[in-house]
Amino acid sequence: MDNQHQPDEWGSAQDGQRYQPRTLHITKENKIIYLTVVWMLGITILLSTCGIISLSFFSKEIPQALIALGSVAVGALGGLLTHSK
C-alpha cells in the first residue's frame, strides 16, 4: 500500500495551511428566509395539533399522515432552533 499521499494523522493540513471554517454571512435575505421557515413549521405544528385534538373530540379516526406531519414539523423546528458547533 502506498502511504505517500496519506496525512500523518486525520485532519492535518498537507500544505501547512490551517483549517479555516467557513462562516455564514447573515444577510437580511437569509434572516427573512429563516424566519419564514420557522413560522411555517410553527403553523404546521399548531394546525396538526388542533386537527388531532378536534378529531379526537368528535371520536373520529385520526389519520396517520396528520400525526406524521406534526412529528416531522416538530423535528425540523427542533433541528433549526438547536445550534451545534
Side-chain angles (χ1 to χ4, degrees):
M1 191 168 220
D2 188 5
N3 289 334
Q4 287 179 337
H5 301 293
Q6 293 200 6
D8 293 336
E9 60 183 76
W10 288 100
S12 65
Q14 292 198 12
D15 297 330
Q17 297 174 353
R18 295 190 63 185
Y19 172 71
Q20 298 275 335
R22 288 184 163 184
T23 57
L24 177 65
H25 298 288
I26 298 175
T27 62
K28 188 175 184 178
E29 183 178 304
N30 288 346
K31 188 175 181 180
I32 290 171
I33 291 171
Y34 179 79
L35 289 176
T36 303
V37 170
V38 168
W39 274 101
M40 289 299 139
L41 287 172
I43 290 170
T44 303
I45 292 168
L46 287 175
L47 288 177
S48 64
T49 303
C50 290
I52 291 170
I53 290 172
S54 63
L55 286 174
S56 65
F57 181 73
F58 293 115
S59 299
K60 302 268 182 165
E61 184 178 344
I62 300 170
Q64 294 295 317
L66 186 61
I67 296 171
L69 184 65
S71 300
V72 168
V74 168
L77 187 62
L80 280 175
L81 297 179
T82 303
H83 297 287
S84 62
K85 291 184 179 183

